[in-house]
Amino acid sequence: MAPKITDALGKDGPIGKLVTLALHQLKSNEDLRYEFVVCDAKPIPALMVAKKITSQHKEMLTEATDSKKFLHKGQCYFKDGHVVFEPETPSSGIVAKVKSAIHQHTGKKHPVRVGDESSEGEAAAPSSGSVLGAGKAVVAAVAESKPVPEMVKAPQVWKLTCDTVLGDIKELGKAVRTQCADEPADFTKEINGYMKKLESRIESFGLKLAHSLAKANEAKDAAVRKNELTNAKAIIAQTIKEAKPLAAVVDENPFVKTNFTGQLTTGLTQVAQAITRGLAA
């Protein structure tokens, strides 16, 4: 029988949805470790990524491809802009197979790495408009002494920024739930839990910086105010670090268009300029 190429392997099919969701989860938290398995199908290999690979996952791949040959399995995680695969048994050529499978399942090209072997030319350097690129811009803004917004306005600027990016997260959650409405209850429950965690992370680092800005404004002693502003600088640096994987998840999602990166970069830069003014006062 000729191998099948079905909608199940595309980004809108069950395998595509599962792989897309798993990659988004890994990108949002570099501490996560998932399992993967590669199915040797023709003309393009198939792949599954999940918290734990089960016989049901293999059955899905076999049903979609007519292949029962599984070449690789192991752990998968996200690090330094790459989806990293660690097969239980070292094997050459796995990068090309995984790269082709991911592109087929998600409709996008993802930088892939296995040991010292990686896909070429796909790990884009962060632009000045990205959250990672914003790091240098924010640090520069803090170091400058040019006229900037008053510190008294900074908490409100930051609140509006957080409200906007949180809105992007909620819109993404709504779109994902709509796409996966017909999936099994356990799968839907996992998606809902994942989206709530994303919202919680945004709220968490948003409140931390807002609290520090408020304390700086309330301080009557110059030394106390300076210490709190220095603390706010550190929180901004930490926020950039935490937001980098989130930005990749939100703005690269296949479900709805967002501007998480741009909104967050603008807000952080404005707050950094306000901190500069406060430190120079």
Side-chain angles (χ1 to χ4, degrees):
M1 180 184 295
K4 295 187 294 185
I5 299 297
T6 72
D7 290 340
L9 297 174
K11 64 184 180 67
D12 295 323
I15 292 175
K17 289 179 180 178
L18 288 173
V19 172
T20 297
L21 177 63
L23 293 181
H24 274 60
Q25 290 172 330
L26 292 174
K27 285 186 177 182
S28 70
N29 185 350
E30 295 190 2
D31 293 328
L32 288 179
R33 294 292 186 274
Y34 280 9
E35 295 182 355
F36 77 92
V37 64
V38 177
C39 179
D40 188 21
K42 303 294 184 180
I44 299 175
L47 170 77
M48 181 60 71
V49 179
K51 288 182 179 179
K52 184 172 181 60
I53 296 297
T54 66
S55 58
Q56 184 178 2
H57 290 131
K58 291 185 177 181
E59 288 173 4
M60 289 176 65
L61 291 171
T62 295
E63 182 179 350
T65 65
D66 276 340
S67 173
K68 295 183 179 181
K69 187 177 181 181
F70 297 98
L71 296 178
H72 308 284
K73 61 180 181 178
Q75 287 197 328
C76 176
Y77 55 93
F78 189 78
K79 184 177 182 181
D80 298 333
H82 285 72
V83 185
V84 182
F85 291 84
E86 291 184 351
E88 293 178 355
T89 304
S91 175
S92 62
I94 183 176
V95 168
K97 293 174 182 177
V98 170
K99 174 184 171 183
S100 296
I102 290 180
H103 189 199
Q104 175 178 238
H105 299 328
T106 68
K108 292 187 174 182
K109 295 182 179 180
H110 295 259
V112 171
R113 177 176 296 148
V114 181
D116 295 331
E117 186 182 1
S118 65
S119 54
E120 297 179 358
E122 293 176 359
S127 67
S128 59
S130 70
V131 171
L132 177 60
K136 293 182 179 179
V138 170
V139 171
V142 171
E144 291 175 355
S145 298
K146 298 178 180 179
V148 291
E150 296 290 343
M151 266 299 300
V152 69
K153 297 179 182 179
Q156 182 62 19
V157 168
W158 182 236
K159 180 180 183 302
L160 290 174
T161 298
C162 290
D163 288 346
T164 300
V165 297
L166 189 58
D168 278 349
I169 295 288
K170 290 182 177 179
E171 283 299 313
L172 173 58
K174 188 185 301 182
V176 171
R177 293 183 186 102
T178 299
Q179 286 285 330
C180 303
D182 296 330
E183 298 296 330
D186 288 347
F187 182 59
T188 303
K189 182 179 179 181
E190 183 178 345
I191 288 175
N192 288 335
Y194 172 62
M195 297 312 302
K196 286 180 180 177
K197 285 181 180 178
L198 276 182
E199 292 178 16
S200 177
R201 290 186 69 184
I202 295 295
E203 291 172 344
S204 177
F205 69 61
L207 288 173
K208 192 173 183 180
L209 181 55
H211 181 63
S212 180
L213 293 171
K215 284 180 66 175
N217 277 334
E218 293 166 2
K220 296 186 177 1
D221 182 81
V224 173
R225 184 183 303 110
K226 184 175 181 179
N227 285 339
E228 195 55 53
L229 289 173
T230 301
N231 180 50
K233 281 176 57 179
I235 293 174
I236 286 179
Q238 183 63 30
T239 299
I240 292 170
K241 181 179 179 180
E242 293 181 7
K244 182 179 71 169
L246 287 178
V249 170
V250 178
D251 284 342
E252 294 178 12
N253 82 85
F255 305 105
V256 64
K257 183 174 177 59
T258 60
N259 188 27
F260 181 95
T261 300
Q263 295 288 350
L264 191 59
T265 298
T266 298
L268 285 172
T269 301
Q270 289 177 349
V271 172
Q273 289 174 337
I275 292 173
T276 300
R277 182 61 177 268
L279 289 170

